[in-house]
Amino acid sequence: MRIKLLSNRYAQALFDLAVELNILEKVVSDLRLVGSIFAENRELRVIIANPVIDAHKKSKILSSLFEGNVQDLTIRFLQLITAKGREKYIPYISEAFNEIYLEFKNILSVNLTTAQKAQKVITDDISNKLHKVTNMNIELAEKVDGNIIGGFVVNFQDYKYDASIINQLNKLKKEFSENLYETKF
């Protein structure tokens, strides 16, 4: 089964249960915590993905790690995932859960990359324009990357708008490499 499909199914099931139990916001913060811990700890990912370690030990590791820090529903969900042998997909499930939550709240997650820290006026302008186009609330994440030289790059969903200097230079380089006036005999 494909990872995206599997993670979406588990995430949707947890999401529906969290809404039904009226603890959605708590479970959202729980899964963000779980996702960040998995992202930061390579050793944890290796242990959880190891097929030699049995599910009971993995379940104990997850329980001892998260118990007291997350909701009981989240702990039980992690134990269920482990019992089903899908524990290596926990980071993907937490990511899918966050996507479902953002869609539910009508929030569009946008990544803005600039060469230098962008001014508040510029970020507000980009957010307002995207809000008008999408009719969604914009959650803007900024990243500074000096390699783009100047301008900006906006990524959201499957869209990318590249208005960077390096992109324009690469287009010019490609145009100049195709010499239209040279006769080839």
Side-chain angles (χ1 to χ4, degrees), residues 32 98-107 109 139:
R32 285 182 178 165
N98 191 48
E99 290 173 6
I100 292 168
Y101 173 74
L102 291 175
E103 185 178 327
F104 177 75
K105 290 291 188 174
N106 197 33
I107 299 172
S109 183
E139 183 179 87

Side-chain angles (χ1 to χ4, degrees), residues 54-69:
D54 69 337
H56 180 70
K57 288 182 181 177
K58 291 178 185 179
S59 181
K60 277 191 167 187
I61 290 170
L62 291 173
S63 294
S64 66
L65 189 61
F66 293 112
E67 209 164 273
N69 297 321

Side-chain angles (χ1 to χ4, degrees), residues 27 59 96 143 173:
V27 174
S59 181
K143 179 183 166 189
K173 181 179 176 182

Side-chain angles (χ1 to χ4, degrees), residues 94-148:
S94 63
E95 184 179 315
F97 187 89
N98 191 48
E99 290 173 6
I100 292 168
Y101 173 74
L102 291 175
E103 185 178 327
F104 177 75
K105 290 291 188 174
N106 197 33
I107 299 172
L108 178 64
S109 183
V110 177
N111 294 319
L112 172 67
T113 306
T114 55
Q116 297 177 352
K117 176 82 172 119
Q119 297 174 351
K120 177 116 174 84
V121 176
I122 294 171
T123 58
D124 288 345
D125 188 39
I126 291 171
S127 294
N128 290 334
K129 287 182 180 182
L130 285 172
H131 175 71
K132 287 179 185 175
V133 171
T134 62
N135 282 334
M136 297 179 82
N137 299 323
I138 305 301
E139 183 179 87
L140 195 67
E142 295 181 59
K143 179 183 166 189
V144 175
D145 182 6
N147 292 331
I148 67 170

Side-chain angles (χ1 to χ4, degrees), residues 65-94:
L65 189 61
F66 293 112
E67 209 164 273
N69 297 321
V70 297
Q71 295 290 313
D72 186 46
L73 174 66
T74 307
I75 293 289
R76 291 193 331 245
F77 179 75
L78 292 174
Q79 290 171 345
L80 173 72
I81 295 291
T82 306
K84 295 286 185 182
R86 309 285 197 196
E87 63 276 357
K88 65 182 177 182
Y89 301 115
I90 290 173
Y92 303 107
I93 293 170
S94 63

Side-chain angles (χ1 to χ4, degrees), residues 46-48 50-55 57-58 61 87:
V46 169
I47 289 171
I48 294 300
N50 190 341
V52 175
I53 300 173
D54 69 337
K57 288 182 181 177
K58 291 178 185 179
I61 290 170
E87 63 276 357

